[in-house]
Amino acid sequence: FFQAEDGIRDYKVTGVQTCALPICRPCRPAKPSFQGPSVAVGVTARVRGRAQFAAFRHGTNLRSEHFSVRVAPSERPGRPGVAFAISRKVGPAVVRNRLRRRLRHVMQALESDLDPTRVYLISARPSAASLTFSELLDTMRAMVVADEVVSC
């Protein structure tokens, strides 16, 4: 390549110009990425560790047309724990991640209804991907209330 007087680099292969690129980009001040909140917004705790997931085997299982929710006692009471199991049967990654984000917001909205001494494992069926937010909220609210009835 060689640099022309107008500040454009010419890349030549056997005498034919393939592209012309400016030498440098305009200088922009470095800014941090503004994607997502700077502080964690989650009101529910994450479910981590083998022992917490093993506790789901002995927990209560609640089922609906679109979801299956397993409820177990928490190792660390204080905030309700929530985990999501969304299989590939639900759809491609975009659909699964969208459903997971929507469910996370639903569970944040229902935090006052959740028992802080329990952890919840929410498994989605393929039909759950087509629900609206209000339908997700109503379904999850009904299942959380059903858990309160079952556990009493």
Side-chain angles (χ1 to χ4, degrees):
F1 68 91
F2 72 93
Q3 184 171 347
E5 292 86 23
D6 59 355
I8 302 274
R9 289 183 186 169
D10 290 334
Y11 291 87
K12 294 189 176 192
V13 177
T14 64
V16 178
Q17 181 177 346
T18 55
C19 66
L21 301 171
I23 291 176
C24 66
R25 295 182 179 155
C27 296
R28 294 184 191 125
K31 295 180 184 176
S33 173
F34 290 109
Q35 296 178 2
S38 58
V39 182
V41 222
V43 289
T44 55
R46 291 181 68 177
V47 178
R48 292 185 176 197
R50 188 178 185 94
Q52 281 189 330
F53 278 98
F56 285 122
R57 282 189 227 138
H58 307 292
T60 307
N61 193 16
L62 307 167
R63 293 181 183 177
S64 75
E65 181 182 352
H66 307 290
F67 297 100
S68 172
V69 178
R70 284 208 172 245
V71 184
S74 176
E75 288 183 343
R76 297 174 295 179
R79 283 180 22 186
V82 178
F84 302 102
I86 302 175
S87 75
R88 284 192 226 164
K89 292 179 184 177
V90 173
V94 173
V95 173
R96 294 193 311 265
N97 290 336
R98 182 185 309 129
L99 181 59
R100 187 176 293 113
R101 284 191 305 269
R102 293 170 78 203
L103 284 172
R104 194 177 309 129
H105 284 286
V106 164
M107 297 310 283
Q108 287 175 0
L110 294 176
E111 188 207 5
S112 60
D113 298 334
L114 298 176
D115 185 355
T117 63
R118 294 174 178 251
V119 288
Y120 299 84
L121 174 63
I122 300 169
S123 302
R125 292 188 170 82
S127 60
S130 62
L131 295 176
T132 64
F133 186 81
S134 60
E135 291 170 337
L136 285 172
L137 188 62
D138 294 341
T139 304
M140 282 293 129
R141 183 176 285 129
M143 293 185 86
V144 169
V145 170
D147 171 50
E148 296 296 323
V149 171
V150 169
S151 65
C152 291

